[in-house]
Amino acid sequence: MVNGVVRVCTTRRKRSEEIPSLMIGAIFSLEALGPGSRVDELCPRRSPRIGATGAKALAIGWLALCAAGGASAACSVERVGTTELVEARDQFELPVVINGSPAIHFLVDTGAEKSAIDTSLAQKLALPEIGRRGHLIGSDGLKGRTFSDVTTDRLALAGVAHVSFPLAVGDLLIPGKPTAQAVIGANLLAQYDVEFDFLGKRLNLYRVRNCHQDSSEFKPWATPHDVVPLKAGFRNLLSLPISIDGKVLELLLDTGAVRTKISMDAARKLGLDIEKLKAYAQRTTSYAHSGRSMTNYSQRFNRVQIGESSYRNVEIKIAGIEVKTYDGLLGLDFLRTRKVWVSYATRQLLVEQTPVKRRRPPRPE
């Protein structure tokens, strides 16, 4: 589908479980009609030879298909799974069952492209390799440890089973450092809308159908909340605009990051003197998924705005990170005190509103 136009080219006779297929002439099949889509193109598998009768049938079918495309189905939101969130190392994990094994805690990471497990854990579970190999690339933008792909017969998350689900396998554990042994990334999370109740330690998965960003029917919460538009990037990664001292940056939504960080280039956009920052700012050390350490420099800003929520006197880390086209990472320090709904279906971030007296700024280092 391009720009809301469904272009159907299929060689298979297949009936969707959700949207009825319409077969006419040289085998046309409407298998997917997205929110706000219109049907104005069809692709025959081959140019059929049809007579007058066939042409008439084709025209009738075409009109019926256009009518079906013009009638939009109702926006619906259905909860399909729920599970506990476990806080560990200032991050949040959830139990996952692989091939019937005892539950394993996976870090929930919207900033990770792929779901992954540590090599030792994959060996323990005897997961077969698919054969693909690559490198783990961390937020420093550098190639790090190698990984290979394996497949699971059955991966169960929040009561929802995924058959033949692929996982990247690499050395996720860093000796002497508190790191997660497994990660659930965007390749799985993007199949749902995800509700994070960080204070209540709960995660819910929802199936959202026929809803879009401008849909007035998409109202999953009755309680007051802010709505922030999201941009979909490479491999289902999501980003959002935030204002820092009046200047807008685009940050990757990253529930795997404990702290919000911006790059050196982003710091320059904000008018900071990098040499002075490195000379006088407080320093801490963290580790990227590449396995390399990086130095973080602390900087306080007068005002940070995310949607309708405003924070003052906020400390943000500045580091040598390279996260593709983004200016940095929006981490748990801005998310953990709220209920948050990440809508992959409608490209929105819903953030629970809290009374001003209860609203807390990001926690200090």
Side-chain angles (χ1 to χ4, degrees):
M1 179 175 67
V2 180
N3 296 326
V5 178
V6 178
R7 183 174 177 84
V8 184
C9 302
T10 180
T11 59
R12 295 180 300 163
R13 293 178 178 268
K14 179 179 178 181
R15 183 170 296 274
S16 170
E17 296 178 358
E18 299 177 8
I19 305 175
S21 299
L22 179 61
M23 303 292 187
I24 58 174
I27 311 179
F28 295 112
S29 174
L30 177 62
E31 293 183 329
L33 184 59
S37 300
R38 70 181 190 275
V39 179
D40 65 6
E41 289 191 79
L42 287 175
C43 305
R45 181 174 58 185
R46 59 181 178 271
S47 299
R49 295 182 179 179
I50 56 176
T53 303
K56 183 177 179 180
L58 185 61
I60 294 173
W62 166 256
L63 292 174
L65 184 58
C66 290
S72 58
C75 170
S76 66
V77 179
E78 176 190 8
R79 193 175 77 174
V80 294
T82 183
T83 187
E84 64 176 332
L85 279 176
V86 179
E87 191 167 4
R89 305 173 304 279
D90 284 333
Q91 297 171 308
F92 290 91
E93 300 178 344
L94 47 73
V96 174
V97 175
I98 296 177
N99 298 345
S101 67
I104 301 164
H105 282 183
F106 276 59
L107 172 69
V108 189
D109 191 354
T110 58
E113 296 171 6
K114 300 182 67 173
S115 301
I117 59 174
D118 187 70
T119 303
S120 61
L121 186 55
Q123 293 173 348
K124 181 179 179 181
L125 295 172
L127 298 177
E129 287 193 21
I130 298 175
R132 293 193 299 265
R133 293 182 180 273
H135 292 269
L136 292 171
I137 300 178
S139 56
D140 53 8
L142 301 176
K143 287 185 178 180
R145 296 156 291 176
T146 59
F147 74 86
S148 58
D149 282 348
V150 299
T151 184
T152 62
D153 292 332
R154 187 176 186 274
L155 183 148
L157 162 70
V160 182
H162 298 262
V163 179
S164 298
F165 188 79
L167 293 171
V169 176
D171 296 327
L172 302 184
L173 298 176
I174 301 174
K177 303 297 177 183
T179 51
Q181 65 175 344
V183 175
I184 286 293
N187 64 329
L188 189 147
L189 296 174
Q191 299 179 34
Y192 308 95
D193 271 23
V194 186
E195 182 184 45
F196 294 90
D197 184 355
F198 292 113
L199 292 178
K201 302 295 191 297
R202 205 77 199 164
L203 179 141
N204 297 311
L205 299 179
Y206 290 83
R207 187 76 69 188
V208 177
R209 295 183 175 91
N210 305 310
C211 305
H212 52 86
Q213 196 172 67
D214 299 325
S215 175
S216 60
E217 298 176 338
F218 182 68
K219 297 179 180 178
W221 288 346
T223 54
H225 58 274
D226 298 332
V227 179
V228 183
L230 296 172
K231 290 182 181 178
F234 184 67
R235 291 186 178 176
N236 296 308
L237 297 181
L238 300 174
S239 64
L240 68 161
I242 76 165
S243 173
I244 300 179
D245 287 348
K247 296 182 180 180
V248 178
L249 300 178
E250 190 75 16
L251 301 193
L252 178 69
L253 181 64
D254 192 352
T255 58
V258 177
R259 309 292 176 196
T260 296
K261 294 181 182 180
I262 61 174
S263 67
M264 292 295 179
D265 286 341
R268 292 186 184 94
K269 291 181 184 179
L270 299 177
L272 297 183
D273 186 323
I274 301 301
E275 296 306 317
K276 185 180 294 186
L277 177 76
K278 291 181 177 181
Y280 299 106
Q282 180 184 358
R283 303 182 184 189
T284 56
T285 301
S286 61
Y287 290 83
H289 283 302
S290 64
R292 295 180 174 87
S293 63
M294 66 171 65
T295 301
N296 307 293
Y297 302 91
S298 299
Q299 175 69 31
R300 287 199 170 272
F301 296 93
N302 293 325
R303 185 169 179 244
V304 174
Q305 179 127 7
I306 305 174
E308 298 299 320
S309 298
S310 183
Y311 305 86
R312 294 190 179 276
N313 191 29
V314 176
E315 181 183 277
I316 291 179
K317 302 298 182 183
I318 301 172
I321 58 175
E322 295 290 341
V323 279
K324 295 185 174 63
T325 59
Y326 310 115
D327 294 309
L329 312 170
L330 182 71
L332 288 172
D333 45 358
F334 281 96
L335 302 173
R336 68 189 316 129
T337 60
R338 311 284 192 91
K339 184 184 289 185
V340 174
W341 182 297
V342 180
S343 180
Y344 286 92
T346 67
R347 303 292 188 262
Q348 296 179 90
L349 177 69
L350 278 57
V351 184
E352 176 190 43
Q353 288 183 359
T354 58
V356 174
K357 64 180 180 179
R358 288 180 51 215
R359 184 173 294 173
R360 294 183 289 172
R363 301 188 306 178
E365 185 73 38

